[in-house]
Amino acid sequence: MARFDNKVVLVAGGASGIGAATSERFAREGARVVIADIKDDAGQALASELAKLGATAVYRYCDCTESNQVAQLVDGIVDEFGGLDIAANVLGGGHVTDAPGSTVHTTSEQAFDGTMAISLRSVFLLMQQELEYMMNHGGGVIVNVSSMASLAAEKHATLAYGIAKAGLNHLTRFAAADYARYNIRVNAILPGTTATPLLRSLFSEEQIVEMCAGQQAIPRAVEPDEQANAILWLASDEAAMITGVLLPVDGGRSAFGLQGPPASAVARALSK
Ligand SMILES: NC(=O)c1ccc[n+]([C@@H]2O[C@H](COP(=O)([O-])OP(=O)(O)OC[C@H]3O[C@@H](n4cnc5c(N)ncnc54)[C@H](O)[C@@H]3O)[C@@H](O)[C@H]2O)c1
């Protein structure tokens, strides 16, 4: 028997990067997977690839910043698959106008609102629907994807992105505290630098190597599959007593605190 046999799993933002790795891992471990995203081509291609492996996987378009679309998505999953057991809310990122390097007085309202919508409002709207269903149907598990940028000011992440992800941490803990009585667990992973298409579109390979060496104990980017491992574990019964946790998946970056590793460690990592 596979770990998630017959479980109905929603992966929001499941067409690319960490979400795609998560969709694939759930499908390979027996779940029936709904990939929700705005990237039709990538979502449909992934669903067909997983179906060829014998998995039940479908793609559904949903702009998760829109409450009516999110409500339709969750209603549709329940109609089609008879329930919703697990939700991985993976989507997130910065608005196109939210430029790295921006600070308080240089962040436009459009950039601030856009990033909040993608990285915080979307998960709030998803959780409203997911919790409403789960609390009335015996429980469930939610795993959110935050970021290490939620914990401290970072030169590679925008102000709005850090605020949105810090809000997501609070949303995760608040819901964990409030919905445990309905047999619902809510946790989040905090990815460090992860080798996804999003990251590669923002930084060169050289910059990625330098970022990891400069801030992690294990000086390489985390693979999307390694983030998916943590999401699946938190979603599984193995984590039955874990809720409200913000789990760094960061190659040991959190071990260094705000200062980063000593210069000698950076030099050593870069010389390899
Ligand atoms: N890659 C990293 O280094 C890193 C680090 C920390 C946190 N994260 C977080 O991990 C998550 C996944 O990031 P990724 O690197 O895999 O990015 P990605 O861009 O590859 O994947 C994000 C997915 O979310 C989808 N999406 C965006 N807006 C959406 C919307 N309105 N409705 C539905 N789907 C939408 C995108 O189409 C995409 O498929 C994000 O929450 C991101 O903030 C990533």
Side-chain angles (χ1 to χ4, degrees):
M1 200 145 133
R3 218 170 14 157
F4 296 101
D5 262 351
N6 288 323
K7 296 283 186 201
V8 180
V9 179
L10 163 62
V11 184
S16 163
I18 296 170
T22 304
S23 302
E24 181 175 342
R25 290 294 309 282
F26 270 120
R28 285 183 185 275
E29 296 210 32
R32 292 177 287 164
V33 179
V34 179
I35 301 161
D37 209 293
I38 48 176
K39 284 186 184 155
D40 287 345
D41 290 350
Q44 263 147 8
L46 180 58
S48 331
E49 206 181 292
L50 297 179
K52 279 188 209 142
L53 299 172
T56 303
V58 297
Y59 168 73
R60 296 288 174 262
Y61 176 87
C62 179
D63 179 348
C64 297
T65 63
E66 298 288 336
S67 56
N68 58 339
Q69 293 189 32
V70 172
Q72 273 172 20
L73 171 74
V74 174
D75 286 351
I77 293 171
V78 172
D79 281 351
E80 195 173 346
F81 295 100
L84 175 64
D85 300 299
I86 295 166
N89 299 318
V90 185
L91 80 163
H95 189 256
V96 283
T97 60
D98 192 14
S102 57
T103 184
V104 182
H105 72 283
T106 57
T107 300
S108 69
E109 286 181 49
Q110 189 190 15
F112 186 87
D113 291 345
T115 297
M116 286 303 145
I118 298 167
S119 289
L120 182 56
R121 176 184 160 82
S122 58
V123 184
F124 167 67
L125 296 176
L126 282 157
M127 284 178 67
Q128 284 194 310
Q129 298 299 322
E130 295 159 358
L131 289 166
E132 177 91 38
Y133 175 81
M134 290 174 179
M135 66 186 277
N136 290 309
H137 295 85
V141 189
I142 295 174
V143 183
N144 293 328
V145 176
S146 178
S147 170
M148 287 301 291
S150 64
L151 300 182
E154 278 193 2
K155 68 175 177 190
H156 293 297
T158 69
L159 170 75
Y161 180 76
I163 294 173
K165 294 296 193 179
L168 182 53
N169 293 352
H170 190 78
L171 180 59
T172 301
R173 284 184 161 150
F174 194 99
D178 245 8
Y179 291 86
R181 68 193 132 139
Y182 298 108
N183 191 31
I184 299 171
R185 294 188 297 109
V186 189
N187 291 294
I189 62 162
L190 275 56
T193 306
T194 307
T196 62
L198 173 67
L199 187 84
R200 293 210 157 97
S201 71
L202 295 172
F203 305 104
S204 68
E205 283 304 316
E206 207 181 1
Q207 282 175 309
I208 295 172
V209 168
E210 207 165 310
M211 267 156 65
C212 295
Q215 58 189 17
Q216 294 176 195
I218 304 168
R220 67 164 174 82
V222 186
E223 291 301 320
D225 243 358
E226 294 171 316
Q227 301 294 352
N229 283 340
I231 293 173
L232 265 77
W233 177 70
L234 285 170
S236 76
D237 290 343
E238 292 152 27
M241 278 303 285
I242 298 178
T243 197
V245 155
L246 309 175
L247 178 69
V249 185
D250 64 346
R253 177 159 145 198
S254 28
F256 294 122
L258 288 181
Q259 300 307 314
S264 55
V266 179
R268 203 166 45 244
L270 285 173
S271 69
K272 277 188 185 155

